[in-house]
Amino acid sequence: GQNIDQPTEMTATEGAIVQINCTYQTSGFNGLFWYQQHAGEAPTFLSYNVLDGLEEKGRFSSFLSRSKGYSYLLLKELQMKDSASYLCAVTGDDYKLSFGAGTTVTVRA
Amino acid sequence: IAGITQAPTSQILAAGRRMTLRCTQDMRHNAMYWYRQDLGLGLRLIHYSNTAGTTGKGEVPDGYSVSRANTDDFPLTLASAVPSQTSVYFCASSAAGGNTGELFFGEGSRLTVL
């Protein structure tokens, strides 16, 4: 099976930066995804990494190190609407997407 | 643009009853998935279908069945519901099979089994 770990909760101040770490142990690797999920809503796609390095998309960036089994999602210039759960998910060599339990980020004024 | 439509949005069900959760997509995606989401456990894959006419088992398939008669529909059936199946169920689709593409999720179906 797959093992994906991420912190349960994080709190940050509006305008600040928060980094959500994700470590994984999987059988093979075919990509890592980050999803955002607001309370009571469906998850929505944020980013996809398959090669090592940083992918930047506006205020959000995602980093991957395959050799370390490690990724992070960086949220810059935090806004109140960024309060949500952030889900790390990995595709292994069975080509099935496995999700971590999610990190709930609370942004305070 | 509808994307993925799930029904019902919410349901309370007596244990032992049969229940089908419906999922329809209008994006002509090949692959479809059913996940359940429970507090502290994240999303877990129940069943999947890489293309119409084929299905496969995910991480937690016991007590559930699916069918994929056409591209658009992917119903999930609980043959005899048990309280441990109380959860939020999400249907999802992707253009490419094999989970190498972005997943699009429905709004979820909240099921309570008493």
Side-chain angles (χ1 to χ4, degrees), chain B residues 21-70:
Chain B
L21 303 179
R22 300 183 298 279
C23 175
T24 300
Q25 54 113 349
D26 62 2
M27 298 176 283
R28 308 302 293 171
H29 283 173
N30 284 321
M32 298 187 74
Y33 312 87
W34 274 107
Y35 288 88
R36 60 177 289 174
Q37 187 172 39
D38 303 288
L39 196 62
L41 295 177
L43 287 157
R44 292 181 292 168
L45 183 64
I46 304 171
H47 285 287
Y48 65 95
S49 169
N50 284 331
T51 188
T54 69
T55 63
K57 293 182 179 180
E59 182 184 354
V60 287
D62 294 343
Y64 305 95
S65 63
V66 292
S67 61
R68 187 86 184 278
N70 57 61

Side-chain angles (χ1 to χ4, degrees), chain A residues 35 37 42 45 91 95-97, chain B residues 37 48 98-99 102-103 106:
Chain A
Y35 284 81
Q37 185 177 24
F45 170 82
T91 299
Y95 286 97
K96 297 189 184 72
L97 194 60
Chain B
Q37 187 172 39
Y48 65 95
N99 280 153
E102 174 186 351
L103 289 186

Side-chain angles (χ1 to χ4, degrees), chain B residues 47-111:
Chain B
H47 285 287
Y48 65 95
S49 169
N50 284 331
T51 188
T54 69
T55 63
K57 293 182 179 180
E59 182 184 354
V60 287
D62 294 343
Y64 305 95
S65 63
V66 292
S67 61
R68 187 86 184 278
N70 57 61
T71 297
D72 298 341
D73 301 300
F74 191 45
L76 176 74
T77 297
L78 289 68
S80 178
V82 295
S84 62
Q85 291 178 311
T86 293
S87 188
V88 180
Y89 292 85
F90 285 99
C91 181
S93 72
S94 68
N99 280 153
T100 55
E102 174 186 351
L103 289 186
F104 294 83
F105 287 86
E107 291 302 309
S109 297
R110 182 174 296 275
L111 183 66

Side-chain angles (χ1 to χ4, degrees), chain A residues 10-76:
Chain A
M10 301 183 74
T11 301
T13 305
E14 197 174 14
I17 297 173
V18 69
Q19 177 175 315
I20 306 170
N21 296 323
C22 173
T23 58
Y24 62 89
Q25 293 175 307
T26 58
S27 300
F29 178 82
N30 282 292
L32 186 141
F33 295 80
W34 284 96
Y35 284 81
Q36 180 189 58
Q37 185 177 24
H38 286 99
E41 298 183 7
T44 55
F45 170 82
L46 284 179
S47 68
Y48 172 63
N49 294 71
V50 67
L51 299 176
D52 289 351
L54 188 68
E55 294 281 342
E56 297 187 83
K57 191 184 294 185
R59 294 188 298 113
F60 293 1
S61 303
S62 58
F63 172 83
L64 174 67
S65 169
R66 289 173 294 170
S67 62
K68 295 182 180 177
Y70 168 71
S71 173
Y72 67 72
L73 179 69
L74 194 69
L75 286 63
K76 294 177 279 190

